[in-house]
Amino acid sequence: MAAVLAAWRELDERCCDPGRSPRMAALGDRLETVRAAVAGDPADRPAAVTATLEEAGGMIGALQVGCCAPDRLPLYARMLAGLTTVQLELGRADPPAG
């Protein structure tokens, strides 16, 4: 999650469109929610962590599509790959009951 947050911070600092700031801030809040949810004891994780990851991914995608600077696209890709890694690690840590 640290790499995801670092990429978000870099994007937020480099963004040249002030109109995107509220959406960037909302993404930052969502990423912090994900970080907090996955950092704790697996027994204490909320059941909705996958939905939270999906929401964050959707927010990243929406910002990426509207980005005017192609040199920033790797940052979006890094964030999405990081969220996918988190989701896969959660799946290994929390096998389905049954």
Side-chain angles (χ1 to χ4, degrees):
M1 247 345 267
V4 175
L5 289 165
W8 171 79
R9 281 187 207 93
E10 185 175 345
L11 274 171
D12 191 38
E13 290 169 4
R14 293 174 57 191
C15 187
C16 58
D17 180 358
R20 293 168 58 88
S21 294
R23 293 189 300 157
M24 274 295 185
L27 174 59
D29 291 344
R30 180 61 58 201
L31 293 174
E32 283 297 333
T33 300
V34 170
R35 185 199 58 74
V38 300
D41 181 351
D44 296 332
R45 278 190 207 126
V49 71
T50 298
T52 304
L53 283 165
E54 290 172 353
E55 288 173 17
M59 294 168 82
I60 292 167
L63 285 163
Q64 178 180 345
V65 168
C67 186
C68 64
D71 65 324
R72 295 183 196 134
L73 294 179
L75 293 168
Y76 290 102
R78 190 179 319 153
M79 286 193 295
L80 289 170
L83 291 181
T84 300
T85 299
V86 168
Q87 187 273 333
L88 292 171
E89 289 174 356
L90 285 175
R92 279 184 238 136
D94 300 329

